[in-house]
Structure formats: C-alpha cells, structure tokens
Amino acid sequence: MRVQQRPIRALSMWVRRQPPKVKAFLGVVSGMAALVLLRFIVHDHDNLFVAAEAVHSIGISVLIYKLIKEKTCAGLSLKSQELTAIFLAVRLYCSFVMEYDIHTLLDLATLATTLWVIYMIRFKLKSSYMEDKDNFALYYVLVPCAALALFIHPSTSHNLVNRIFWAFCVYLEAVSVLPQLRVMQNTKIVEPFTAHYVFALGVARFLSCAHWVLQVLDSQGHLLVALGYGLWPSMVLISEIVQTFILADFCYYYIKSVFGGQLVLRLPSGVV
C-alpha cells in the first residue's frame, strides 16, 4: 500500500509547490481531460445529469446520517442550507408554471430534505451549531444574483417575472455553497461526514457541468440557441462552470486527505 501511495504523494507535493497560476492551469487541463474521457465513456450524456442527482442524493444521505446518528450539526452552514432552500423553492415554482417534469419531483424531495436539515440545525441541534463561524453575509450573494437576473434572463415566451425567477435560481445555485466553504475555512478542520457531504456536492456539480458542456458540443452549439438569445445561454454555461470551480480546491484536498489515510480533513490557509 505504501508503494502505491508514493507516486500519488510525490505528485501531490509537486502540485503543492507550484504557484497559483500553474495550479489553476493544471486544474483546467485536468477538467478538460475528464470531459474528453466522459465523452467517450458515456454515450448518452443525459445519464450524466441523472448521475449528478444521484451523487447529490448520496451527499444528502450522509448529511442526514450525521444529524441523526451523531446528534450534532458542528461544521455545517445553516446559511448554505437556507440558500439551497431558496433556490429550490424558486425553481419549483418555475417548474410548475413553465415546464413540469420528473426533475420537479426530485427538486421537491430535495427541498423537503433541506427544510428538515434547517429545522434540525435551528431547533433540535442548535447547541452544536457554530454560529460564530457561519458568518457569511447572505446579501453578498442574494443581491448580486437578483440584480443579474433582472438584466440577464431567458428570452422565452413565458411571463417576464417567471423568467427573472428562473435566472435568479440558476445564479443562486452556483454560489449557494459559499457559506459552507466559509465555515470550513474558519474552522480549518473538517470532520469526515461534512467533508463527504461537500465532496459529493463537488462531484455532482462537476457531472452537471459536464452534462451541459458535452450537450453543447454534441449539438454543435445549437443547444445554446435553443435556450434563447443574448447573454443568457452563455450565463447558464458559465454558472455551471462556476459551481464546479468553486469546489475544485476543496475536492483536491479531500482526495489528498483520503489517499493519505486521514479521517479528518485539515485545510491550509487560503483554501476555499
């Protein structure tokens, strides 16, 4: 086992010594390589979206286990859960009035679970909630997302208010994990269940982003035209990419910690 870990550890040490620009370049190259690999392995790219939802469900299951079995919400961000509930509620409304499908039911189940998590943190497990660490101001993301949605939204035939709501939930989903990352940055030490949950979010976001990127490539750009005109199609794609890169740094340290045999993830200064 030690022999197998040496190349990985050596590669990890080499990457750590590189300047930020090199790390960013290596991250982009790795992401592109993964996309190329997925394009040849997964023939029906819609399965990537299903896989993203499945991984997200696994992450939520880990979170539920933590709250029920461990009887603690330490390390979890209530504000991230509230942002998640907001964009899911808005997206559910838009789904009912714009395009009702199976994803509407999945969002309903996710919203119900998220509301339960919020209830547990606010009331049942309030004594273990790290309120002083969860200090990300929500208006830092709510106001910009709302303002952006007013100016850049779908150009479909639906009601203007509904189109603005739809854009708002797309933008808010992309940054909803920021308060959770702030909590982990403040504590520096992330216990296993929280780390598993956030890593699952990162994998789900990557698969969702891969789904959109590969769909655009397969349709030779026609998918962007189908989404409307103006800046909106590009903003949808950018939002997916932003979601992935926000969690990329954390996922790197998570994988490094797992291969190093560490149960508790320790984040160095400047991460996330």
Side-chain angles (χ1 to χ4, degrees), residues 126-137:
K126 186 177 180 179
S127 60
S128 60
Y129 171 49
M130 299 177 175
E131 187 174 1
D132 59 321
K133 303 295 184 182
D134 196 11
N135 55 9
F136 190 94

Side-chain angles (χ1 to χ4, degrees), residues 149-222:
L150 285 173
F151 294 100
I152 305 177
H153 48 261
S155 55
T156 60
S157 58
H158 298 93
N159 181 275
L160 175 61
V161 174
N162 294 337
R163 287 185 279 140
I164 292 175
F165 279 167
W166 183 263
F168 174 73
C169 70
V170 169
Y171 300 143
L172 187 59
E173 181 183 13
V175 294
S176 60
V177 75
L178 288 178
Q180 179 63 61
L181 296 181
R182 171 65 69 84
V183 170
M184 295 189 300
Q185 181 62 66
N186 289 337
T187 58
K188 292 295 189 296
I189 298 177
V190 187
E191 57 83 32
F193 289 112
T194 302
H196 298 336
Y197 166 68
V198 178
F199 179 72
L201 290 182
V203 174
R205 298 285 168 83
F206 172 75
L207 291 174
S208 178
C209 179
H211 166 261
W212 278 101
V213 172
L214 294 180
Q215 288 285 73
V216 171
L217 293 176
D218 289 344
S219 65
Q220 297 181 343
H222 294 301

Side-chain angles (χ1 to χ4, degrees), residues 16-223:
R16 184 188 298 182
R17 291 194 298 267
Q18 303 309 306
K21 290 184 179 180
V22 175
K23 290 181 180 179
F25 173 76
L26 291 174
V28 172
V29 171
S30 300
M32 293 176 65
L35 284 175
V36 172
L37 183 62
L38 286 174
R39 188 174 189 182
F40 287 102
I41 293 178
V42 183
H43 299 291
D44 186 356
H45 297 146
D46 283 336
N47 291 334
L48 290 175
F49 196 78
V50 176
E53 293 181 332
V55 173
H56 191 184
S57 298
I58 292 174
I60 293 176
S61 299
V62 170
L63 192 58
I64 292 175
Y65 180 87
K66 170 185 171 68
L67 296 177
I68 294 178
K69 299 296 183 180
E70 300 293 319
K71 302 294 184 182
T72 178
C73 62
L76 292 179
S77 168
L78 173 61
K79 294 181 178 179
S80 261
Q81 297 301 319
E82 289 174 340
L83 290 178
T84 301
I86 291 172
F87 85 72
L88 283 173
V90 175
R91 191 161 70 188
L92 271 173
Y93 164 77
C94 293
S95 296
F96 279 118
V97 300
M98 297 174 72
E99 49 176 4
Y100 182 85
D101 56 18
I102 184 60
H103 298 297
T104 305
L105 298 178
L106 294 174
D107 281 343
L108 183 61
T110 304
L111 176 60
T113 305
T114 303
L115 291 175
W116 179 82
V117 171
I118 292 174
Y119 168 77
M120 293 293 288
I121 296 176
R122 277 194 174 275
F123 302 103
K124 294 294 185 179
L125 304 174
K126 186 177 180 179
S127 60
S128 60
Y129 171 49
M130 299 177 175
E131 187 174 1
D132 59 321
K133 303 295 184 182
D134 196 11
N135 55 9
F136 190 94
L138 293 186
Y139 59 82
Y140 282 163
V141 292
L142 289 173
V143 173
C145 288
L148 198 58
L150 285 173
F151 294 100
I152 305 177
H153 48 261
S155 55
T156 60
S157 58
H158 298 93
N159 181 275
L160 175 61
V161 174
N162 294 337
R163 287 185 279 140
I164 292 175
F165 279 167
W166 183 263
F168 174 73
C169 70
V170 169
Y171 300 143
L172 187 59
E173 181 183 13
V175 294
S176 60
V177 75
L178 288 178
Q180 179 63 61
L181 296 181
R182 171 65 69 84
V183 170
M184 295 189 300
Q185 181 62 66
N186 289 337
T187 58
K188 292 295 189 296
I189 298 177
V190 187
E191 57 83 32
F193 289 112
T194 302
H196 298 336
Y197 166 68
V198 178
F199 179 72
L201 290 182
V203 174
R205 298 285 168 83
F206 172 75
L207 291 174
S208 178
C209 179
H211 166 261
W212 278 101
V213 172
L214 294 180
Q215 288 285 73
V216 171
L217 293 176
D218 289 344
S219 65
Q220 297 181 343
H222 294 301
L223 177 63

Side-chain angles (χ1 to χ4, degrees), residues 225-239:
V225 177
L227 291 174
Y229 55 85
L231 294 175
W232 169 247
S234 299
M235 289 302 295
V236 172
L237 196 57
I238 291 173
S239 297

